[in-house]
Amino acid sequence: MHRRDFLFSSSTLMAAAAMASGCTAKVKYGVVPKSPLIAAAVDGAYTVPPLSYAYDALEPVIDMATMKLHHDVHHAAYVKNLNAALAQHPMLLGYSLEALLADLALVPEDVRDTIRNHGGGHFNHALFWESMRGEVRGAGVRMPEGDLASAINTSFGDFKTFQEKFQDAGMKRFGSGWVWLVKDAGRALSIMTTPNQDTPLATGFIPLLGNDVWEHAYYLKYQSKRADYLAAWWRVVDWGVVSKRFAA
Ligand code: MN3
C-alpha cells in the first residue's frame, strides 16, 4: 500500500468514526465545519446555488448573456462533474468541499484532478456570485468599510493601490484562472492568483474576494480587453459580503 493510500484510508476511517459519533469530520488542518455556502444536500449531491439577483442585475458591467451562460452552463457543468466524482467515493461526502480542496493529497488519485478542477470550479463560482450585487443609481463608488478597510490600508497603503495591484495581478495571470484577495491564519491580507479552478484553500489561504479571469467570464462583452473588465468589475463588488468573510 502506498503511503498516500494509507493516509486516505486512515483519514476516511477517522471521518467515518467522527460521523458515527456525530462529530464533524477531521482533516489534517483540524475540524473543518460544513460551510453554509457550499453545504452538501441531504442526498449528498451539490447543486448550483441560485443567484440572489436577476441575470441582468449586474448590467452594464456584466451583461445578461454572459451571466446566463456562466451560471447556468459553466457552473452547472462543474457541479455535475463534481457530483459524478463524489459518487465514486461516497466517503468523501463526509468532508466539506473546503476540506477536500485544502487537502487534495488525501483525495483518492482517480478523482483528485476532477475534485480539484470541478470541485474548485463549484467553490470559486459560488463565492463569485455571492460577492457581487447590482449597482444603485447615484450611490457612488463602492469602498470597503470598517475593519476590512483598515486591513486593506495596512497591507496595501490605500484602497486605490490595492485595486491597482489586484487588477495588475489579474492581467498577469496567463490563460485561465482567478485573482484573489485572501487572508492568512493571522488575518493578514494579500493578493494572489490561481490557474484554472485552483483555489487559495489549497495553499492555506482563505479567499475573501475573487474575480474570474477565464475568457468565458468576460469575452462576450469585453472581447480581449481583460483590463477593462477588471477595472469595471469594482462597480458590482459587494463589500459587505467581503467584510463578513474577513470577520469570520
Ligand atoms: Mn467562470
Side-chain angles (χ1 to χ4, degrees):
M1 184 182 263
H2 295 299
R3 176 174 149 74
R4 188 177 278 156
D5 295 337
F6 171 74
L7 279 174
F8 177 68
S9 304
S10 59
S11 64
T12 49
L13 289 173
M14 276 172 52
M19 280 191 291
S21 64
C23 298
T24 309
K26 283 191 176 181
V27 293
K28 200 165 74 182
Y29 298 111
V31 177
V32 180
K34 291 270 189 188
S35 160
L37 174 66
I38 309 288
V42 177
D43 64 1
Y46 286 93
T47 54
V48 180
L51 296 173
S52 64
Y53 40 78
Y55 290 111
D56 64 355
L58 307 181
E59 294 262 17
V61 176
I62 303 180
D63 58 290
M64 183 164 79
T66 296
M67 287 300 289
K68 274 193 167 168
L69 199 64
H70 200 176
H71 180 268
D72 294 1
V73 179
H74 289 277
H75 191 165
Y78 296 126
V79 168
K80 182 169 179 266
N81 291 321
L82 168 64
N83 285 334
L86 293 173
Q88 293 179 54
H89 295 277
M91 187 62 84
L92 294 176
L93 291 166
Y95 297 85
S96 69
L97 182 57
E98 288 92 330
L100 298 178
L101 294 170
D103 214 350
L104 285 161
L106 296 182
V107 173
E109 209 163 350
D110 61 326
V111 294
R112 190 176 305 147
D113 283 348
T114 305
I115 300 285
R116 176 181 185 167
N117 292 329
H118 296 274
H122 177 40
F123 176 85
N124 291 341
H125 286 86
L127 187 137
F128 182 61
W129 309 131
E130 201 190 64
S131 302
M132 300 185 288
R133 68 185 162 92
E135 293 183 281
V136 178
R137 193 185 293 264
V141 178
R142 286 189 187 166
M143 306 265 291
E145 295 173 352
D147 288 348
L148 177 61
S150 304
I152 285 174
N153 291 341
T154 300
S155 295
F156 305 104
D158 55 49
F159 181 58
K160 188 166 175 291
T161 306
F162 156 71
Q163 286 180 301
E164 287 167 0
K165 288 186 171 176
F166 189 96
Q167 289 169 223
D168 187 52
M171 283 303 292
K172 286 180 176 154
R173 173 78 267 167
F174 180 74
S176 298
W178 291 77
V179 53
W180 302 99
L181 172 66
V182 298
K183 67 175 178 180
D184 66 15
R187 296 179 91 223
L189 299 181
S190 54
I191 291 167
M192 66 185 293
T193 69
T194 54
N196 305 313
Q197 295 297 349
D198 287 2
T199 72
L201 300 171
T203 46
F205 292 95
I206 297 161
L208 304 180
L209 177 67
N211 196 359
D212 189 342
V213 297
W214 283 58
E215 285 187 344
H216 69 222
Y218 63 86
Y219 209 86
L220 289 182
K221 181 178 170 75
Y222 296 88
Q223 285 86 48
S224 60
K225 295 174 185 147
R226 186 190 285 188
D228 291 356
Y229 162 69
L230 283 162
W233 182 69
W234 301 113
R235 290 162 56 187
V236 293
V237 170
D238 186 345
W239 287 105
V241 169
V242 183
S243 283
K244 279 181 194 156
R245 291 190 191 121
F246 177 62

